[in-house]
Amino acid sequence: MSTYISDIFDNPYSNHTVALVSTGRKIRAGVIDLDGKWLLEPRYRMITRWGGRYLEVEKENRKRDFWDSKTGRFISDSLGLNVNNLLVTSSGKTFFVFYNRGNIGLAAEDGTIVFPARYWSILPFGEDFVVRSREGCELIDIEGNFIVPNGYDDIVYGFRSECLWGGDYPAYNVSKIPVRKGEEWFYIDRNTGARISNRTYHGLGPFTETGYALFSDKRDRKGIIDCKENVQLTANKYDMLHWEGTDLLEGYGTMRGKRIHRLINPLGKSLIPKYWADIRDYQDSKAISVKGGKNAVFTRMQSGAFSKSFCTPNEYVPFICKDYIVIHHYFRKRTRLSGLYTLCNAAGESIFSRDYDRISISAHPDRFFVCEGKKWFLINGKEEVLCEILPPSID
């Protein structure tokens, strides 16, 4: 059976990317650098979280580990810990969650034990940590000092973990801490532990530094309050809201029986022109909307609103990838639906003179992976072939 590269993923954030190699039905993942060299040969069932220094790897025994692209070593080997998660605080510090005898603890990047393995869960909140154990739910600092001791049933409503750090979210005001007692959520003061107001919620996130927070009603619909707890967006439209920066939220809901996907500001105002208000995708200050057989690409302006950059007909489907728009042209070849890829800038101007079977974006502005048939090549912006990416055997 022939061995070939079945996919190379977009990775516009690191000097490497993940590739899948196939032999028959067997597929394994590895890591390639931007010179086309294999940093980690394709021997692994799955590789995820490849946007930064550490990549999460699932090995043949289905055990998870983290591979350090800087040192070229697995964390289990370099630190001697059974790591099962990675956490990032609001300042960008990385910590490893490790497992030992049924509990988890926290270690710094150099392997120093921050918290011994005595907790059931650990999640970051600012530079502190929400921890759960048999003692209950607590908020502690990195020294293990109590900020919010046991006594509340929950701390910081997650909104699908979006209010807890580890992603591209806004800076939060950690002086007002959301807590739950029974069925009620409310704020307490970080310094005194006193309750801030008599208002209660069915779910409550922290305030952003610009003074807005998400809350839930009893049907788990989401709304927005300001720093005085005045409702700016009632919880009757969106089933899910999540921050995409300090002044932008992505919202999913239902209106008149139809699903909606909107970009709004903290006052609930749509930032996409009314005709195109529902979007298909949002990334890196760009959005895509589909209406009337056309795809429109929007770019966010300094005013905060979005302006239409260009449109494509329905058979030319655009996808956002950081500074670029990759357009997938669908067409019918005999009885099969086929497609070719075109690379454009945010204004819709073609970067390459021709189409390819696949195009994958890297973090380098002059390095692109392209596929022709079952062959992958590394090319520059002038479409000069720098090398062919050859797959090693995975037998």
Side-chain angles (χ1 to χ4, degrees), residues 300-305:
R300 200 173 193 205
M301 314 302 287
Q302 288 187 343
S303 65

Side-chain angles (χ1 to χ4, degrees), residues 215-242:
F215 72 95
S216 286
D217 67 6
K218 59 184 178 181
R219 291 174 58 182
D220 205 30
R221 297 175 300 184
K222 308 299 185 294
I224 303 172
I225 57 174
D226 63 20
C227 59
K228 295 182 179 179
E229 295 191 52
N230 297 315
V231 175
Q232 298 298 322
L233 176 65
T234 57
N236 61 1
K237 181 184 291 187
Y238 295 105
D239 302 319
M240 184 173 72
L241 285 171
H242 62 83

Side-chain angles (χ1 to χ4, degrees), residues 123-126 128-132 137-139 148 152-165 172-174 176-180 185-188 190 203-207 214:
L123 289 170
F125 179 59
D128 307 312
F129 299 89
V130 178
V131 298
R132 288 182 182 277
C137 185
E138 301 155 338
L139 180 66
V148 178
Y152 295 102
D153 299 308
D154 210 348
I155 301 172
V156 188
Y157 187 69
F159 291 100
R160 299 193 179 181
S161 298
E162 111 112 31
C163 292
L164 300 165
W165 271 271
Y172 289 108
N173 178 352
V174 296
K176 299 177 181 180
I177 301 171
V179 297
R180 177 174 66 86
W185 281 88
F186 51 88
Y187 289 109
I188 62 171
R190 175 191 178 92
L204 191 61
F207 282 106
L214 304 183

Side-chain angles (χ1 to χ4, degrees), residues 347-364:
E349 301 164 335
S350 294
I351 304 296
F352 296 150
S353 62
R354 49 165 297 190
D355 297 341
Y356 294 91
D357 292 321
R358 281 294 312 278
I359 299 174
S360 292
I361 308 303
S362 80
H364 195 293

Side-chain angles (χ1 to χ4, degrees), residues 18 29-31 40 44-50 55-57:
V18 172
V31 180
L40 196 61
Y44 305 96
R45 299 178 63 88
M46 187 182 300
I47 299 178
T48 55
R49 295 198 197 183
W50 58 80
L55 292 80
E56 186 175 347
V57 177

